[in-house]
Amino acid sequence: MKNNDKGSVHFEGVVKKYGEVTALKKLDLTIEPGKLVTLLGPSGCGKTTTLRLIARLESATSGRIFIGGRDVTHLSATYRAVSMVFQSYALFPHMSVLENVAYGLTVKSLPKKIAHEKAEHGLELVGLGGFGARLPSELSGGQQQRVAVARAIVLEPEVLLLDEPLSNLDAKLRRLVREEIRQIQQELGLTAVYVTHDQEEAMAVSDHIIVMQNAEIAQQGTPRDLYEMPNSCFIADFIGDANLIDCEVRSANDEQSNIVVSSRPLSVACKAKNTGPSKLVVRPHDISLSPPNGAQDFTGSVSYAAYLGNKIQYTVAGELGELFVVCDVTKDPFAPGDDVSIRFDLSAARIVTEETGSP
Ligand SMILES: Nc1ncnc2c1ncn2[C@@H]1O[C@H](COP(=O)(O)OP(=O)(O)OP(=O)(O)O)[C@@H](O)[C@H]1O
Ligand SMILES: [Mg+2]
């Protein structure tokens, strides 16, 4: 094992079947040490299965798994330096908070005094110093989740696994706790694999995101790569809001594509994979609306308007189908029924073909 492999995770052709169900189709993935990598994807795509394979709570049907450069495919959970934070917290209700955090250390036969000192330190790390004597039931949901994080990190795992750790928290707490988890992960230089189906949460905490769909990887990259360079309609729609507008690609080179949208020729500064029917991806804030101006713009009429304080969201129906548009608040907002001219900022637009998955 090389020293700089500590904390890395590597899957080589890993297949997982539960009877007839294929939960993972030949998965190859690499998680770099010290990074927070998120597995993101719709329900049933295989995220929890991947985590459980890393923790050896499940065994692979075929393929090999490496942790820290070492082949651990056939090693039991006890010999893998990983700890897992579950969605349900899974705290022992009859034990104090301190005992809960110290539990894993005492199981490892650490003297009680040292285990308690480490647990106290773990609680301080998650902002719960002084809460050790309470019972879990005497804490809020967010505090209980932080106890679960403390319990996992005091074991000093090579890899920290988190399965939808925030799903029981309300929106404000989710943000607070996700920031804390990210901060602790960075401070301790931990490798963390984080599972969520919330794309905003994934973008906010991750160094790298692996988007899964139907038991395989659909695309992976930094949050920015995925948002700016989606390789399929699925990714474009899943990572951030997107309008997927029918278009016909007439010609394309590496820098530019000539397309036709609703009988109008447009030139887009990006590469299209193929000529023929495709989708133009336009983000809601890259569409501007103006009163009908008789120019070459597309046309539609506002079917829904929602004032959100710092912005206005519109749904606009027209020749391009239904568009989702986000605008700055203006003195004279549009109202449902208003006719509008529609213009795109195409500098950030992308073209994707309709099939899913990478080429
Ligand atoms: N113990 C099991 N026995 C049979 N099938 C299972 C088992 N566990 C998971 N599966 C199936 O494997 C597939 C992947 O499940 P997994 O739990 O990994 O999904 P997930 O991406 O975590 O979904 P969610 O977002 O709903 O938690 C699903 O089709 C699921 O029904
Ligand atoms: Mg799951």
Side-chain angles (χ1 to χ4, degrees), residues 18 21-23 41-50 58 163-164 195 197:
Y18 296 105
V21 180
T22 301
S43 185
C45 68
K47 307 179 294 292
T48 296
T49 300
T50 306
E58 300 289 350
D163 193 358
E164 309 247 5
V195 164
H197 56 257

Side-chain angles (χ1 to χ4, degrees), residues 48-350:
T48 296
T49 300
T50 306
L51 277 200
R52 294 177 66 83
L53 283 166
I54 299 172
R56 191 41 150 107
L57 298 172
E58 300 289 350
S59 57
T61 307
S62 61
R64 298 204 297 164
I65 297 173
F66 299 81
I67 297 177
R70 193 163 63 123
D71 187 340
V72 296
T73 317
H74 302 292
L75 286 188
S76 73
T78 332
Y79 297 100
R80 293 195 187 178
V82 302
S83 31
M84 187 143 164
V85 177
F86 298 91
Q87 178 178 353
S88 56
Y89 316 151
L91 300 177
F92 298 115
H94 58 284
M95 286 185 189
S96 73
V97 163
L98 189 74
E99 284 164 346
N100 261 285
V101 178
Y103 180 77
L105 296 167
T106 50
V107 168
K108 282 181 155 182
S109 313
L110 216 67
K112 196 170 166 189
K113 184 165 174 289
I114 297 176
H116 279 197
E117 279 169 15
K118 282 184 179 267
E120 193 60 63
H121 179 61
L123 284 171
E124 276 162 25
L125 269 176
V126 298
L128 289 178
F131 284 69
R134 294 205 199 175
L135 287 173
S137 58
E138 294 166 335
L139 298 181
S140 72
Q143 289 167 333
Q144 290 182 44
Q145 188 54 289
R146 280 186 263 166
V147 174
V149 172
R151 185 178 56 179
I153 58 182
V154 292
L155 295 171
E156 298 171 19
E158 263 189 64
V159 185
L160 176 66
L161 307 173
L162 303 117
D163 193 358
E164 309 247 5
L166 310 180
S167 51
N168 289 331
L169 308 181
D170 66 42
K172 271 208 171 135
L173 256 184
R174 287 172 79 102
R175 233 176 97 176
L176 201 79
V177 180
R178 83 186 183 203
E179 281 164 16
E180 273 170 6
I181 289 175
R182 174 62 161 159
Q183 215 170 356
I184 292 167
Q185 177 265 331
Q186 287 183 319
E187 272 169 26
L188 301 181
L190 286 173
T191 307
V193 190
Y194 189 104
V195 164
T196 182
H197 56 257
D198 179 332
Q199 61 90 17
E200 191 201 297
E201 190 172 306
M203 298 203 46
V205 299
S206 314
D207 293 302
H208 187 89
I209 299 176
I210 298 175
V211 187
M212 298 179 68
Q213 183 192 23
N214 299 332
E216 57 192 349
I217 295 176
Q219 190 177 351
Q220 57 178 313
T222 63
R224 194 163 181 165
D225 287 344
L226 294 173
Y227 186 79
E228 293 182 357
M229 286 174 286
N231 69 6
S232 66
C233 293
F234 168 72
I235 298 289
D237 202 30
F238 202 73
I239 305 288
D241 293 309
N243 293 287
L244 298 171
I245 299 163
D246 285 330
C247 71
E248 174 87 18
V249 179
R250 289 283 160 85
S251 65
N253 61 31
D254 279 355
E255 276 134 39
Q256 186 166 317
S257 305
N258 295 310
I259 64 171
V260 176
V261 176
S262 185
S263 317
R264 248 162 288 188
L266 292 177
S267 169
V268 187
C270 73
K271 183 180 170 183
K273 259 187 262 169
N274 308 98
T275 51
S278 296
K279 298 275 183 191
L280 178 66
V281 180
V282 185
R283 301 291 176 189
H285 52 260
D286 289 329
I287 300 179
S288 54
L289 304 178
S290 56
N293 55 18
Q296 281 288 301
D297 295 344
F298 299 105
T299 55
S301 79
V302 173
S303 54
Y304 183 77
Y307 171 74
L308 297 182
N310 60 345
K311 59 192 175 194
I312 301 183
Q313 289 180 350
Y314 294 109
T315 305
V316 177
E319 58 180 316
L320 303 175
E322 221 167 56
L323 297 177
F324 177 55
V325 183
V326 174
C327 297
D328 288 336
V329 178
T330 55
K331 262 204 208 125
D332 256 333
F334 297 106
D338 285 352
D339 286 335
V340 287
S341 280
I342 302 163
R343 191 168 284 195
F344 300 142
D345 172 1
L346 289 174
S347 59
R350 289 288 172 267

